[in-house]
Amino acid sequence: MASKKSSAEKAHAQSEVRRLHNKAIKSTCRTYAKQFVEAVHAKDQKLAEEKYKLLQKELDSARSKGVLTRNAVSRKKSRMMKLYNVSFAK
């Protein structure tokens, strides 16, 4: 006869799945942020703009999925835009 899972075991399994899913999304955000910073440091304005758009899209996606909070996303986008503006000021 098959044994049933307790609710605690089921909750733990669900939280593990969510943790791995959230970890993948956060990792993608960090990767895009790193690529953006590298483009800015390389003084490649066009590439930096493209990378910022990708980063912004990914951060907004993470926000809508509940992985990151609204304030965290706003803070990250603000800091990246500030870096861009300082680096490419005319």
Side-chain angles (χ1 to χ4, degrees):
M1 209 156 154
S3 62
K4 290 182 107 179
K5 237 186 219 187
S6 72
S7 61
E9 289 171 330
K10 180 178 178 182
H12 178 69
Q14 288 174 327
S15 70
E16 185 65 13
V17 168
R18 280 193 300 270
R19 183 185 72 82
L20 293 173
H21 181 251
N22 293 345
K23 183 180 174 184
I25 293 170
K26 287 179 185 180
S27 176
T28 305
C29 289
R30 283 191 297 268
T31 300
Y32 284 139
K34 188 176 180 181
Q35 290 173 354
F36 169 76
V37 171
E38 287 174 359
V40 169
H41 289 312
K43 302 291 184 195
D44 190 344
Q45 189 170 4
K46 188 174 181 181
L47 180 63
E49 283 179 23
E50 292 172 14
K51 294 298 181 181
Y52 182 74
K53 286 179 184 176
L54 284 171
L55 172 62
Q56 187 176 10
K57 183 178 177 182
E58 194 64 32
L59 287 171
D60 289 338
S61 175
R63 167 62 190 115
S64 69
K65 293 173 185 172
V67 176
L68 296 173
T69 64
R70 179 176 52 92
N71 288 347
V73 170
S74 295
R75 181 180 64 246
K76 291 173 192 296
K77 290 196 303 189
S78 176
R79 287 180 181 170
M80 292 301 166
M81 202 67 234
K82 185 177 179 182
L83 174 66
Y84 177 86
N85 289 336
V86 167
S87 299
F88 298 111
K90 294 184 179 175

